[in-house]
Amino acid sequence: MAAINLLQAVNEALRQEMKRDPRVIVFGEDVGYEGGVFRATVDLQKEFGKDRCMDSPLAESAIVGVGIGMAINGMIPVVEMQFSGFSYPAFNQIISHVARMRNRSRGRYTVPMVIRMPYGGGIRALEHHSESPEAFFAHIPGLKVVMPSTPYDTKGLLAAAIRDEDPVIFLEPKRIYRAFKQEVPEEDYIIPIGKAKVVREGTDITLIAWGAMMRETLKAAELAAEKGIHPEVIDLRTIAPIDRDTVIASVKKTGRAIIVHEAPKTGGIGGELMAIINEKAFLHLEAPPTRVTGFDTPFPLPRGEQHYLPSPERILVKIQEVVNYLT
Amino acid sequence: MIFKDYNPLEKKMLQIMDETGTIVKPELMPDLTDDEIKEIYRLMVKTRETDKKALMYQRQGRMLTYAPNLGQEAAQVASAFALEKRDWMVPAFRELGAWLTRGAELEMIYLYWYGNEFGSYVPEDLRILPVSVPIASHLQHAVGIAWAAKLQGKDEVAITYFGDGATSQGDFSESMNWAGVYKAPTVFFCQNNQFAISVPRGIQTAAETIAQKAIAFGMPGIQVDGNDIFAVYAATKEAVDRARRGEGPTLIEAYTYRLGAHTTSDDPTRYRSNDEVEEWSKRDPIDRLKKYLLSKGLLTEEEEAQIVEAYGKLAEEAFKYVEANGETQLEDIFKYHYKEMTPQLVEQMEEYKQFLRERGEI
């Protein structure tokens, strides 16, 4: 076991999967010679050569569209959108083809590709570099959407995504790429897609979050515990398909739920989770499920981003509100 | 060689057989046997007859919206004829002739236009991608298929079809650019049929030809008479051979005309004159080849009538099969989005089935 950060976990998963399966190829803007602007693909070209890890022309639609053709002709492309905010030119390819090829051809052609994207804010970046677009992708039938929050999960989930026979959008929390290290097994392993994880057990309220928001949410849980409130915390890990069983089991136990995400509130995954809770656990509820999210605004430039991102304090206030509902 | 001699910047269009069926460039005649030329003729007639029937079924309300192919048979058949079985075809939606040339069954093609996804369930031994509707998006897939073949050391070429309108899309430029950079063995085959629905070719680009766009992407481009099978075949064959030799992609502009409507929902009389259509009818690709075959003694009028009749019957039988077997099975709507259905999809399907059961509908 070695202690590595989340970014190194991405690199390690890619390296191990490329070693395991010669069909796995990696390409995107700057991913080859330079190893990516964040260095997620560093040394892969050196190790596997220019036919396995390539620099692409600067064209997101083509990175995905060419990847589709490569997947159809026997390869497993793991492509990078340099920032999730630059994935929008590739939307037509993702929505119209990546997600549909299997269904369109009734299983004759499949697109087992992974589209990696660093997502999220809090890195004092320029416009378009802080987006959290998971809801767009989760809305599209035919895609799976994964958002890890730790180095251990990142390595296991990325390996699972690469081995998955369906296309996976893999959103990496770039804010915590290098934030902390964790002991991660050197051998390869899989964390199943579609399974959430209870990362803190509790009895009073269920907090659901994913990706970079896990740290804020866990801090908020600690602050709440100091005040005698014991939240259960779920790391959703897979945004599509959502692990409803884990969510519902927890909410049935606690009777209360808050969803935390940094994407805008309206149309976000928080709303979907609240709907699931209402459908499946209504009679167990002690208070209406609610959420702490980004605002319905574009992500602010760095001088204002501290207001946009949910903080442990904002989450704590909401926890107290929900726990004291009608008392 | 022909790519050098027919530089699109010099406004040269490759024509080998003129409108009267006369060979005007004998030195450029491609290496096709009489049997092969006859086979191309049969495939063109098959395309025309089965296309006509599809249009008729649509008019009778038995087929959905349909994109007719009238006038573009030479471009489609002669280009697809230059491929090997192991090569890939990545179509848009007006390539009936290319599908038939590649060996696709008419039942499958009709099933697609009948409104059933199994019409895109291409048999394992055919390398044809499903119909792609979003304009130019599929060019990227052809480049990926071709590049993957190259990286895996497989001797395969990908041809992709699109119209003049597609050349205005970003995906056209991105695909051509990528194929050029990585020398992906791709043939970009543009059927310039002069119209993108109602918008004429002049509003798609200020360039004199579409073929010349190749030059900016570092590949050869050529404009050919799209109603001349010999020109189409010769250019495509050379493009395919180049790709196979590792020399990279080619852009072919087949200069042709859509004699029919864009689709059955379109009324072309609103945007073009009868005179223009009349003028292009005189350059009909099948008439032209027929004249050639008659002059060579390779075809008789009786034989032609027999061929036409046989394909008409084939179309009727194929459509009979489709009408009897074309309804979508409920579970198929849910089954193919993922390798395994998600719990969400299982739940939605079961809930809907329960609804139908309670109403006595299943």
Side-chain angles (χ1 to χ4, degrees):
Chain A
M1 297 257 260
I4 59 172
N5 64 32
L6 200 148
L7 190 66
Q8 290 167 316
V10 171
N11 188 262
E12 205 169 297
L14 291 172
R15 173 174 290 108
Q16 286 183 351
E17 290 306 302
M18 289 176 85
K19 216 176 262 177
R20 188 186 58 79
D21 188 340
R23 297 174 301 166
V24 177
I25 48 166
V26 169
F27 60 93
E29 294 154 10
D30 302 291
V31 310
Y33 182 78
E34 181 171 72
V37 292
F38 290 101
R39 309 288 180 262
T41 56
V42 77
D43 289 340
L44 295 180
Q45 190 177 73
K46 212 183 277 174
E47 186 171 342
F48 296 97
K50 282 184 178 171
D51 285 351
R52 298 284 306 281
C53 177
M54 305 77 119
D55 284 317
S56 74
L58 207 166
E60 288 81 10
S61 176
I63 291 170
V64 174
V66 169
I68 292 168
M70 300 184 91
I72 285 170
N73 199 3
M75 306 193 98
I76 301 176
V78 183
V79 305
E80 180 178 299
M81 300 280 102
Q82 198 159 76
F83 288 83
S84 64
F86 301 153
S87 67
Y88 308 143
F91 258 36
N92 188 34
Q93 292 293 343
I94 295 173
I95 293 169
S96 301
H97 297 302
V98 172
R100 293 186 189 203
M101 195 58 85
R102 180 189 283 277
N103 180 63
R104 174 184 299 141
S105 67
R106 286 295 188 247
R108 164 70 165 92
Y109 294 113
T110 60
V111 182
M113 75 188 290
V114 178
I115 305 174
R116 295 180 39 247
M117 311 182 193
Y119 89 92
I123 58 157
R124 310 190 71 72
L126 296 173
E127 197 185 353
H128 312 293
H129 291 69
S130 302
E131 330 270 304
S132 193
E134 67 270 21
F136 294 138
F137 300 113
H139 189 61
I140 306 306
L143 300 177
K144 294 179 180 177
V145 182
V146 174
M147 296 173 86
S149 70
T150 66
Y152 180 85
D153 282 5
T154 297
K155 185 173 166 188
L157 283 165
L158 184 52
I162 293 169
R163 296 181 202 184
D164 202 291
E165 293 185 45
D166 292 311
V168 179
I169 307 290
F170 196 83
L171 292 159
E172 298 165 5
K174 61 177 171 292
R175 183 185 181 191
I176 54 169
Y177 260 157
R178 296 185 171 88
F180 61 99
K181 288 189 174 181
Q182 193 181 26
E183 294 285 329
V184 170
E186 275 157 40
E187 61 275 18
D188 63 349
Y189 60 93
I190 288 289
I191 294 178
I193 291 173
K195 294 271 176 256
K197 186 183 180 189
V198 176
V199 291
R200 180 186 172 115
E201 298 212 5
T203 50
D204 300 334
I205 184 168
T206 300
L207 307 179
I208 307 164
W210 50 90
M213 276 297 115
M214 284 312 298
R215 296 219 303 167
E216 275 64 19
T217 305
L218 283 164
K219 266 180 221 153
E222 263 168 48
L223 296 173
E226 286 167 16
K227 297 184 185 297
I229 302 167
H230 299 288
E232 180 143 297
V233 181
I234 294 175
D235 182 344
L236 199 59
R237 297 201 295 201
T238 297
I239 310 302
I242 287 176
D243 176 1
R244 299 179 299 178
D245 294 347
T246 300
V247 170
I248 293 309
S250 176
V251 175
K252 281 185 175 172
K253 184 171 77 173
T254 64
R256 296 177 172 87
I258 294 174
I259 299 100
V260 181
H261 62 66
E262 55 177 284
K265 188 171 194 171
T266 300
I269 296 300
E272 180 61 28
L273 282 159
M274 285 160 60
I276 291 169
I277 292 165
N278 277 323
E279 282 172 1
K280 308 271 179 198
F282 185 71
L283 293 177
H284 298 263
L285 292 175
E286 305 286 343
T290 186
R291 45 199 157 154
V292 182
T293 69
F295 308 123
D296 288 353
T297 68
F299 199 96
L301 292 179
R303 302 295 163 198
E305 69 179 354
Q306 73 279 13
H307 297 299
Y308 181 92
L309 285 168
S311 63
E313 294 72 21
R314 264 174 74 197
I315 301 167
L316 177 65
V317 167
K318 194 61 95 178
I319 291 171
Q320 289 170 315
E321 247 176 68
V322 172
V323 168
N324 296 321
Y325 182 74
L326 290 186
T327 60
Chain B
M1 180 196 66
I2 50 176
F3 296 143
K4 274 206 185 98
D5 296 340
Y6 286 84
N7 182 346
L9 289 178
E10 291 164 18
K11 289 182 69 184
K12 282 187 179 168
M13 173 157 62
L14 175 66
Q15 185 190 62
I16 296 174
M17 173 170 67
D18 74 8
E19 288 155 30
T20 66
T22 308
I23 301 303
V24 291
K25 292 273 178 200
E27 70 279 15
L28 296 179
M29 264 299 265
D31 190 17
L32 285 167
T33 65
D34 286 349
D35 281 349
E36 285 170 330
I37 297 169
K38 193 85 177 279
E39 177 62 13
I40 289 173
Y41 172 76
R42 276 199 204 91
L43 285 162
M44 285 166 70
V45 175
K46 185 177 183 182
T47 306
R48 179 155 299 181
E49 295 308 312
T50 55
D51 188 64
K52 267 196 224 161
K53 288 278 188 199
L55 202 57
M56 184 187 84
Y57 295 134
Q58 198 282 336
R59 293 303 186 216
Q60 293 170 348
R62 297 159 74 189
M63 187 95 99
L64 301 180
T65 301
Y66 180 73
N69 297 270
L70 186 67
Q72 297 177 221
E73 296 88 350
Q76 298 173 10
V77 172
S79 56
F81 205 81
L83 302 172
E84 300 294 331
K85 183 98 180 154
R86 63 183 180 279
D87 295 330
W88 293 78
M89 171 177 135
V90 184
F93 52 81
R94 197 189 311 283
E95 287 88 17
L96 174 62
W99 283 81
L100 294 172
T101 304
R102 297 282 288 154
E105 296 289 342
L106 196 56
E107 282 86 352
M108 184 186 71
I109 297 167
Y110 277 178
L111 189 58
Y112 174 81
W113 297 101
Y114 191 70
N116 186 317
E117 283 86 348
F118 270 103
S120 296
Y121 181 78
V122 181
E124 286 288 338
D125 64 332
L126 289 185
R127 289 181 161 173
I128 309 176
L129 259 55
V131 162
S132 179
V133 177
I135 302 301
S137 59
H138 60 293
L139 275 60
Q140 310 269 28
H141 313 160
V143 176
I145 285 171
W147 194 29
K150 182 180 169 178
L151 290 172
Q152 295 172 101
K154 299 196 278 193
D155 177 20
E156 298 164 5
V157 170
I159 189 168
T160 181
Y161 291 92
F162 51 97
D164 38 310
T167 64
S168 300
Q169 288 276 7
D171 275 356
F172 166 80
S173 295
E174 290 193 20
S175 302
M176 296 269 292
N177 185 55
W178 193 304
V181 168
Y182 280 110
K183 286 200 187 304
T186 321
V187 179
F188 294 93
F189 193 93
C190 177
Q191 297 190 73
N192 173 6
N193 66 11
Q194 313 303 332
F195 286 95
I197 306 188
S198 68
V199 179
R201 148 67 183 81
I203 293 180
Q204 299 300 340
T205 174
E208 291 238 34
T209 65
I210 284 167
Q212 75 195 58
K213 292 191 174 206
I215 290 157
F217 297 107
M219 69 178 80
I222 187 168
Q223 189 181 55
V224 304
D225 180 342
N227 290 3
D228 166 9
I229 63 153
F230 298 119
V232 171
Y233 179 85
T236 313
K237 185 74 170 67
E238 188 159 327
V240 168
D241 289 348
R242 262 193 94 241
R244 235 186 263 298
R245 288 195 302 265
E247 292 167 27
T250 307
L251 171 64
I252 297 171
E253 175 189 359
Y255 196 81
T256 182
Y257 194 81
R258 190 190 76 213
L259 287 168
H262 164 69
T263 68
T264 44
S265 310
D266 170 44
D267 172 14
T269 61
R270 289 172 58 87
Y271 53 80
R272 62 189 191 188
S273 70
N274 284 337
D275 290 351
E276 182 183 300
V277 177
E278 197 56 37
E279 205 43 51
W280 272 94
S281 298
K282 290 179 197 156
R283 301 182 220 170
D284 185 284
I286 295 184
D287 287 351
R288 189 187 302 196
L289 183 55
K290 183 182 155 185
K291 283 175 198 155
Y292 172 84
L293 292 171
L294 288 172
S295 73
K296 291 268 171 189
L298 295 169
L299 180 75
T300 62
E301 295 282 357
E302 289 122 28
E303 197 184 351
E304 186 203 19
Q306 283 166 7
I307 294 171
V308 167
E309 200 196 329
Y311 286 131
K313 272 200 187 124
L314 184 87
E316 281 164 22
E317 272 158 35
F319 195 63
K320 206 182 284 173
Y321 171 85
V322 167
E323 280 193 314
N325 298 282
E327 287 310 306
T328 296
Q329 300 300 306
L330 175 59
E331 295 202 350
D332 289 345
I333 293 173
F334 298 91
K335 253 166 66 177
Y336 294 98
H337 294 283
Y338 300 94
K339 178 117 194 294
E340 279 170 41
M341 279 166 68
T342 60
Q344 280 83 345
L345 277 170
V346 172
E347 185 185 90
Q348 289 164 29
M349 182 178 77
E350 290 306 330
E351 192 182 331
Y352 182 62
K353 277 164 106 174
Q354 186 57 30
F355 162 80
L356 292 177
R357 248 179 247 123
E358 280 165 15
R359 296 161 60 95
E361 290 177 19
I362 54 167

